[in-house]
Amino acid sequence: SLMLTTFKKIKKSRKRSYMIASIPYLGQRFSTTNWDLSQYLLKDKYCSFNITENNAMIILNQPLPHSTKYLWADAQLRICADGGINRLYNTFQNSTEREQFIPEYVVGDLDSATPSILEYYQIKGTKIQKSVCQDTTDLEKSFQLVINSDMHDINTIIITGAMGGNISQQFTNFNIAYKFPQYKIYFIGDHSCVFVLHPGEHIIKVPPGTINNPSVKVGIIPLGTSIQNIRTTGLVWDIDGHDISDKLEFGGLVSSSNRVKSSDICVSVSDPVMWIFDYHE
């Protein structure tokens, strides 16, 4: 059953429609944001890669998911944040394959990047941008590069190598999604996908192989703020903001281990909330 920190059962919503026209309790109209997980999950598992969004790809210094090389081809801009360049280099066993994956930039204070690897990519045409500013992380420096680039049509950021490692660093990574709400930001791992739903309406499209699949779990995590109102459709245990006695917040209600029952999940939310999609065989 759905796991909650308050150990209270959430009343299942009787609403059947997956198109939500407005959020009455917010008192205003929001545009709908579409999230298509079928474009980003593991190749040959639940989808074939056919990405239609204008995206940049940022590689961090943790183990890279197997999907990295498939996501690469659809990115308009590819950036390695400091030690992420080591991860990219070591992903490939031979120079023939490695030469097919040359990023446009390496960004950061470069305290983790191996000098010989930096030299290899620099010879291949990668631009090295060193910044020793300690007030911003290497990931945030990468975002600033995207913002300052001439690729103004980029609306989606794919981040790989963000899962694993020390927990405080993962929270720092996730904080980026709160700081840059103008982008759709996906954190992609081998067995998970994380993104932040900002206030408004969202439609999340999931691959067919994940529907009613007990190995697929959904978490709706109120990281950093209380969620005053939230309503979902398309989950096995839907949440209706009018039917729960506690707000979604740490110290109150936290939704985890939910499952999907529809290819389209709709979420109306009043405050930023983290969406976690875990998939295992």
Side-chain angles (χ1 to χ4, degrees):
S1 63
L2 182 61
M3 295 173 62
L4 305 170
T5 57
T6 55
F7 300 99
K8 292 182 180 180
K9 183 178 179 181
I10 290 179
K11 181 179 177 182
K12 292 177 65 176
S13 171
R14 292 186 290 273
K15 184 168 182 174
R16 299 296 182 184
S17 172
Y18 294 137
M19 291 300 294
I20 304 175
S22 62
I23 312 176
Y25 46 74
L26 294 183
Q28 55 185 303
R29 173 82 183 200
F30 285 87
S31 60
T32 299
T33 301
N34 292 286
W35 303 81
D36 192 350
L37 294 184
S38 65
Q39 296 186 108
Y40 299 113
L41 298 186
L42 285 177
K43 188 175 176 65
D44 298 326
K45 264 186 178 297
Y46 302 124
C47 69
S48 58
F49 286 84
N50 183 24
I51 297 172
T52 57
E53 296 174 315
N54 298 321
N55 74 84
M57 184 178 190
I58 299 175
I59 295 177
L60 303 184
N61 191 17
Q62 289 299 325
L64 303 183
H66 291 92
S67 58
T68 298
K69 61 179 65 175
Y70 304 110
L71 295 167
W72 181 279
D74 291 296
Q76 295 176 280
L77 179 64
R78 307 162 192 91
I79 302 168
C80 288
D82 202 343
I85 196 66
N86 300 343
R87 298 285 180 175
L88 181 65
Y89 183 92
N90 292 324
T91 294
F92 308 105
Q93 301 302 313
N94 59 75
S95 59
T96 300
E97 188 176 19
R98 187 175 290 120
E99 289 175 0
Q100 299 177 42
F101 299 88
I102 306 297
E104 283 77 18
Y105 292 93
V106 178
V107 178
D109 57 12
L110 306 184
D111 62 341
S112 300
T114 302
S116 60
I117 291 177
L118 282 176
E119 183 180 10
Y120 170 85
Y121 283 103
Q122 193 167 24
I123 291 172
K124 299 297 182 183
T126 298
K127 297 178 181 178
I128 312 297
Q129 290 197 358
K130 183 174 182 177
S131 171
V132 296
C133 174
Q134 297 301 303
D135 294 329
T136 56
T137 65
D138 293 329
L139 178 55
E140 190 166 352
K141 292 178 176 72
S142 300
F143 268 77
Q144 291 298 336
L145 193 154
V146 174
I147 292 170
N148 296 330
S149 75
D150 57 1
M151 297 182 180
H152 303 300
D153 58 342
I154 289 176
N155 56 23
T156 301
I157 310 290
I158 308 302
I159 302 174
T160 65
M163 309 295 191
N166 90 55
I167 294 175
S168 64
Q169 185 62 52
Q170 289 187 67
F171 279 106
T172 301
N173 292 338
F174 295 147
N175 182 51
I176 284 292
Y178 289 80
K179 295 184 73 171
F180 295 95
Q182 68 269 40
Y183 294 108
K184 291 168 62 179
I185 301 171
Y186 295 84
F187 296 89
I188 305 292
D190 256 340
H191 301 288
S192 57
C193 179
V194 177
F195 47 91
V196 172
L197 304 178
H198 290 279
E201 303 171 8
H202 302 265
I203 298 177
I204 303 165
K205 185 176 182 61
V206 301
T210 65
I211 299 170
N212 293 316
N213 185 337
S215 68
V216 175
K217 307 294 185 184
V218 170
I220 305 174
I221 310 300
L223 185 63
T225 185
S226 298
I227 312 303
Q228 300 299 317
N229 285 291
I230 183 169
R231 183 180 296 132
T232 72
T233 61
L235 297 173
V236 171
W237 295 280
D238 275 320
I239 301 174
D240 188 327
H242 296 295
D243 287 347
I244 56 177
S245 57
D246 292 322
K247 290 183 294 187
L248 209 62
E249 62 181 355
F250 281 100
L253 188 81
V254 174
S255 173
S256 68
S257 301
N258 211 325
R259 298 205 301 268
V260 300
K261 65 178 182 182
S262 170
S263 60
D264 291 329
I265 301 167
C266 290
V267 183
S268 298
V269 65
S270 59
D271 304 277
V273 67
M274 180 176 289
W275 178 277
I276 300 177
F277 194 86
D278 287 312
Y279 47 98
H280 297 269
E281 290 194 294

